[in-house]
Amino acid sequence: VRKSGGRGNGATSKTTSSDGGTGISPSNSSNVATVEFPLPASTSEIEESGGMKMPNSMGFIYEAEAVRRLVDAGQISFPQWTPEESVGCVQIIEEMLKQIKA
């Protein structure tokens, strides 16, 4: 178990390698990392407000919690995902849509 690095909400995650051990060895490129973020259980507050409307939408709890921590810290953007990366993703999606329509 390790703290997830890079992008994400900083939740604790588990890594396993292809040989069944834990962790990742940079010298062995055949290792595979598995990061699990199980769906959290619903809370009484969520149920009382009408519950989740879409299947598996409880997964958005991770994003909502990350935003709450960001706002509480007085920040306006995530260090793990910059505004420039968001713009880049939108440009890729727009290009994909253009190619699909062509």
Side-chain angles (χ1 to χ4, degrees):
V1 177
R2 66 172 173 80
K3 283 292 237 180
S4 65
R7 291 168 179 43
N9 64 2
T12 301
S13 61
K14 178 181 179 183
T15 61
T16 56
S17 63
S18 58
D19 65 0
T22 54
I24 300 173
S25 171
S27 62
N28 185 350
S29 62
S30 67
N31 286 344
V32 176
T34 301
V35 179
E36 296 178 7
F37 291 97
L39 293 176
S42 189
T43 65
S44 59
E45 291 172 324
I46 291 171
E47 294 303 320
E48 289 168 6
S49 69
M52 295 291 183
K53 304 297 183 202
M54 301 295 290
N56 296 323
S57 58
M58 284 299 294
F60 289 116
I61 294 292
Y62 292 115
E63 290 184 45
E65 179 59 22
V67 170
R68 185 197 60 77
R69 286 194 310 270
L70 180 88
V71 170
D72 285 351
Q75 298 178 351
I76 60 170
S77 67
F78 288 98
Q80 300 94 342
W81 191 263
T82 66
E84 294 79 16
E85 289 174 301
S86 294
V87 169
C89 281
V90 169
Q91 291 171 337
I92 290 169
I93 292 168
E94 286 175 341
E95 179 61 29
M96 290 169 50
L97 291 171
K98 224 188 298 183
Q99 290 181 22
I100 290 170
K101 292 177 183 178

